[in-house]
Amino acid sequence: MAKRWTADLGYKDVTPERVFLNRRQIMAGIAGVGATGAIAGRAQAQDLQPNSFEDITSYCNYYEFGTGKGDPAQYAHLLTTDPWSIEIDGLVDRPGSYALGDILSQMTIEERIYRFRCVEAWSMVVPWNGFELADLLDMAGVKSEAKYVAFETVYRPEEMPGTRAPVLDWPYVEGLRLDEAMHPLTLMATGIYGKPMPNQNGGPIRLVVPWKYGFKSIKSIVRITLIDTQPPTSWNKANAREYGFYSNVNPNVSHPRWSQASERPLGGGLFASRQPTLMFNGYDEVAPMYEGMDLSKDI
Ligand code: MTE
């Protein structure tokens, strides 16, 4: 398990080099620590066959580079990702600009294979590399008044040809409730298949929330703000009827224009059999966070 970052970590506690866990080591870790909720979800996903690097990096949604699935792979190289820093502000003890290199030197990088599902009813299995968002939030020190986390993608029209069209209200923004953000399944991903995150997939650093639809997984993050009110989100602003704040994978709620009951795994060819979509994308351990909510209304 990753060592949690705390403000009083001494030099001797800091992982001297980034640890890359391969699949076997993760499985060994699971056997060692027992099946806690988060680990169980990961273990389940370990059994899935990941999509190829080629599939994952060529069929993307990143509207800042165009609305076609192939546009990000074609144009995202225009984005400068080095140097990169994330502004962490709002209700935190240590606000400021955090250089990505400094963040990574303090984090334990793991590989996690997650089922990734899009509201358009396709799904992929992706071996992400990254660290828990909770560790980054701990680094900044979340104040007790904070209830939500707002995220913002970089906005550079000169490097992002898709932003010349008013498809979305730029910059792309997303949000999570604080408990969702602190959940151990919520990942800040910095790579795929052990390689640095390709720009089209949100390089150099993006969010991955495996029990939600992909649109929650905001790419190329430059700002994280802790706040006490629910933040706006890009797709909700664009079409509130179709995209709610919660973005939970609830197969019992149809999208206004199509059913959410089944999905098409990518990579199996056009006629690959559809499979039933699982509640919370199969990550049942997140269910307690939504107890008492009506997920047919809070979509
Ligand atoms: N982040 C930004 N900044 N811009 C986007 O258009 N698209 C979202 C999400 N993050 C998007 C974004 C949607 S709709 C999906 S399905 C996922 O990214 C796709 O991630 P992938 O291309 O790595 O599969």
Side-chain angles (χ1 to χ4, degrees):
M1 281 278 274
K3 177 182 279 187
R4 294 297 301 277
W5 198 95
T6 63
D8 55 3
L9 269 188
Y11 180 75
K12 66 175 172 37
D13 300 311
V14 175
T15 314
E17 56 189 26
R18 283 192 264 153
V19 181
F20 176 81
L21 293 179
N22 67 27
R23 187 183 154 131
R24 180 169 303 162
Q25 285 169 307
I26 291 171
M27 294 309 285
I30 290 162
V33 299
T36 63
I39 300 290
R42 256 177 272 162
Q44 192 189 20
Q46 301 299 317
D47 298 332
L48 299 167
Q49 183 61 35
N51 281 85
S52 67
F53 185 80
E54 174 62 24
D55 276 355
I56 296 167
T57 57
S58 60
Y59 190 90
C60 299
N61 273 339
Y62 197 163
Y63 279 18
E64 287 88 331
F65 297 102
T67 54
K69 302 292 179 199
D71 289 341
Q74 198 175 344
Y75 300 112
H77 68 275
L78 297 168
L79 180 67
T80 311
T81 55
D82 186 19
W84 196 269
S85 55
I86 302 180
E87 188 76 29
I88 307 184
D89 57 12
L91 298 168
V92 289
D93 298 326
R94 292 172 287 281
S97 176
Y98 288 75
L100 183 58
D102 293 343
I103 294 173
L104 293 180
S105 70
Q106 314 249 20
M107 297 292 162
T108 302
I109 304 291
E110 297 178 63
E111 180 185 70
R112 295 199 186 169
I113 301 171
Y114 283 160
R115 190 184 297 111
F116 188 74
R117 186 166 137 63
C118 184
V119 71
E120 294 160 327
W122 50 260
S123 62
M124 288 200 260
V125 177
V126 185
W128 304 104
N129 307 94
F131 57 87
E132 291 177 19
L133 172 61
D135 287 338
L136 181 60
L137 296 180
D138 285 348
M139 200 169 159
V142 177
K143 286 189 195 275
S144 57
E145 310 92 87
K147 293 193 177 69
Y148 292 89
V149 187
F151 303 86
E152 196 177 301
T153 293
V154 68
Y155 176 52
R156 285 191 207 133
E158 66 286 5
E159 296 184 1
M160 299 174 129
T163 60
R164 286 173 211 147
V167 191
L168 291 171
D169 185 13
W170 317 110
Y172 193 99
V173 290
E174 253 306 334
L176 291 173
R177 220 169 55 193
L178 187 60
D179 58 340
E180 299 176 318
M182 296 300 267
H183 195 280
L185 283 172
T186 303
L187 210 63
M188 289 295 273
T190 53
I192 292 173
Y193 273 108
K195 302 189 174 98
M197 186 67 75
N199 284 6
Q200 61 264 39
N201 292 95
I205 185 163
R206 53 97 50 93
L207 186 69
V208 180
V209 191
W211 69 93
K212 293 180 178 258
Y213 289 119
F215 70 82
K216 276 276 153 185
S217 296
I218 180 170
K219 295 176 165 178
S220 310
I221 296 169
V222 289
R223 182 182 292 269
I224 297 178
T225 309
L226 279 290
I227 44 178
D228 60 2
T229 49
Q230 187 174 298
T233 67
S234 282
W235 281 103
N236 184 252
K237 281 197 286 182
N239 189 339
R241 204 171 80 89
E242 299 192 3
Y243 309 107
F245 177 81
Y246 279 93
S247 172
N248 287 300
V249 179
N250 182 354
N252 308 317
V253 180
S254 292
H255 181 278
R257 288 182 280 137
W258 54 79
S259 159
Q260 306 274 27
S262 69
E263 65 202 58
R264 182 172 62 89
L266 285 185
L270 204 54
F271 302 105
S273 57
R274 298 181 73 87
Q275 57 188 40
T277 289
L278 302 170
M279 185 70 186
F280 297 118
N281 209 12
Y283 296 90
D284 297 334
E285 61 268 45
V286 302
M289 289 196 290
Y290 306 101
E291 255 162 37
M293 282 178 63
D294 180 352
L295 292 179
S296 62
K297 294 209 180 72
D298 278 314
I299 57 166

